[in-house]
Amino acid sequence: MLDDTDDIHPLFHGAPKGLEFRKLRKRLVQQVREAIDTYGMARAGERWLVCLSGGKDSYTLLAILHELKWRGLLPVDLLACNLDQGQPNFPATVLPEFLTKMGVPHRIEYQDTYSVVIDKIKPGGTMCSLCSRLRRGNLYRIAREEGCSTVVLGHHRDDILETFFMNLFHGGRLASMPPRLLNEDGDLFVARPLAFVSEADCDHFARAMGYPIIPCDLCGSQEGLQRAQVKRLLDEWETRTPGRRQIMFRALMNVRPSHLADPDLFDFAALAAAGAGPAPEDSENSSQLSDER
């Protein structure tokens, strides 16, 4: 990955020349490519809607995807998209000017979902869930209008882990954000190419590149959010045992249904010792008892 000539996407113009940044950039490219390959995200000739919020994660996503495409390693068409949700003081000109300067094909969409959230959520309530649903619905619509097969989001490894623990602690289920999924209507894929990338690496990369980061003042201003609590917990674990986050993420890729407790995933009732007959519930008597109930 050499930038000795102008053979580089404009998103990387002015990139630091230091060894540490070059290592970071190489790691990000490798991890994103690995996620795309591992979860079968890309099909040649597709068009992707790359969702850009203006935060560090989405800037990192945009840059690395264009790096892969620039190098001939991602055979899809990329369309960047920002959904301006009408938040007060949102710097509406920052992203259009940045994307135009970088020569990135894009669409800027204005939909005042902020007013809807403020109207529906009681004072002190958490805005994230409703805001996210409204945003996702609009992004699906835009993807269809633009002929995109995949909506690409900037969720990274730490987002996935936090969601897992939120579901564990508050939802009573083992679930998280999958790296790739099919939407409920069955016509669009949702992909998270940053699934193997840490939040810290996104932060270091975007800041080193000097991208114009826009904070989310809507949810970022709320205190006591469950996700923030989980993030602090994971930070404490990581501080005590460096590498803990990566170990936990590997666990999400190494699921053993027979060692959990969900009878819909594993037929515990059918277990039988070697040389033994069928489990009782498979026997004729068991079937008769079941019919008589």
Side-chain angles (χ1 to χ4, degrees), residues 141-163:
R141 172 183 57 79
I142 295 168
R144 295 182 182 109
E145 292 173 356
E146 296 289 347
C148 296
S149 61
T150 301
V151 175
V152 186
L153 304 177
H155 296 128
H156 45 65
R157 181 202 67 185
D158 295 7
D159 287 325
I160 293 173
L161 274 177
E162 289 163 14
T163 301

Side-chain angles (χ1 to χ4, degrees), residues 2 5 7 20 24 65-66 78 81 110 112 122 124 147-148 164 166-167 177 187 190 195 204 231 236 262 268:
L2 300 176
T5 67
D7 183 23
E20 288 303 315
L24 170 62
L65 290 181
H66 276 278
L78 301 174
C81 176
Y110 178 80
D112 186 9
K122 296 179 181 179
C148 296
F164 172 79
M166 287 174 65
N167 280 315
M177 298 173 174
D187 65 332
V190 176
H204 294 159
K231 183 185 289 289
E236 292 175 4
D262 189 338
F268 297 94

Side-chain angles (χ1 to χ4, degrees), residues 62-292:
L62 182 73
I64 301 302
L65 290 181
H66 276 278
E67 170 86 3
L68 289 171
K69 183 174 175 61
W70 191 260
R71 304 294 174 184
L73 300 174
L74 184 62
V76 302
D77 186 27
L78 301 174
L79 176 67
C81 176
N82 171 251
L83 178 63
D84 181 345
Q85 297 180 259
Q87 297 179 23
N89 303 316
F90 181 77
T93 62
V94 170
L95 283 171
E97 291 176 356
F98 173 80
L99 294 170
T100 299
K101 178 181 178 182
M102 296 298 166
V104 174
H106 62 276
R107 171 171 170 174
I108 306 296
E109 179 84 5
Y110 178 80
Q111 291 291 330
D112 186 9
T113 63
Y114 175 83
S115 296
V116 177
V117 172
I118 295 300
D119 179 63
K120 298 295 184 182
I121 302 299
K122 296 179 181 179
T126 301
M127 302 177 185
C128 297
S129 179
L130 178 57
C131 179
S132 178
R133 289 199 303 273
L134 294 173
R135 180 171 61 249
R136 188 67 60 85
N138 277 290
L139 292 174
Y140 284 171
R141 172 183 57 79
I142 295 168
R144 295 182 182 109
E145 292 173 356
E146 296 289 347
C148 296
S149 61
T150 301
V151 175
V152 186
L153 304 177
H155 296 128
H156 45 65
R157 181 202 67 185
D158 295 7
D159 287 325
I160 293 173
L161 274 177
E162 289 163 14
T163 301
F164 172 79
F165 280 103
M166 287 174 65
N167 280 315
L168 178 67
F169 295 154
H170 305 287
R173 59 183 178 271
L174 297 182
S176 187
M177 298 173 174
R180 187 174 190 244
L181 63 84
L182 186 64
N183 72 337
E184 292 183 358
D185 292 332
D187 65 332
L188 292 171
F189 290 102
V190 176
R192 298 180 171 94
L194 297 181
F196 295 160
V197 175
S198 72
E199 180 176 14
D201 278 355
C202 289
D203 185 58
H204 294 159
F205 175 82
R207 295 188 186 282
M209 287 301 305
Y211 295 146
I213 298 174
I214 302 172
C216 178
D217 294 328
L218 177 60
C219 58
S221 62
Q222 291 188 275
E223 297 182 357
L225 295 179
Q226 293 175 354
R227 184 172 292 275
Q229 295 172 1
V230 169
K231 183 185 289 289
R232 285 195 295 271
L233 177 63
L234 295 178
D235 285 342
E236 292 175 4
W237 287 350
E238 186 71 20
T239 299
R240 294 175 184 174
T241 311
R244 177 67 61 86
R245 274 191 171 94
Q246 185 59 25
I247 293 172
M248 289 189 292
F249 186 83
R250 285 207 304 267
L252 297 182
M253 301 176 66
N254 187 21
V255 179
R256 302 186 181 185
S258 64
H259 286 58
L260 295 174
D262 189 338
D264 290 332
L265 291 181
F266 186 81
D267 193 355
F268 297 94
L271 289 173
E281 52 269 31
D282 291 337
S283 68
E284 181 179 354
N285 290 339
S286 177
S287 298
Q288 291 176 348
L289 288 173
S290 177
D291 292 339
E292 292 172 358

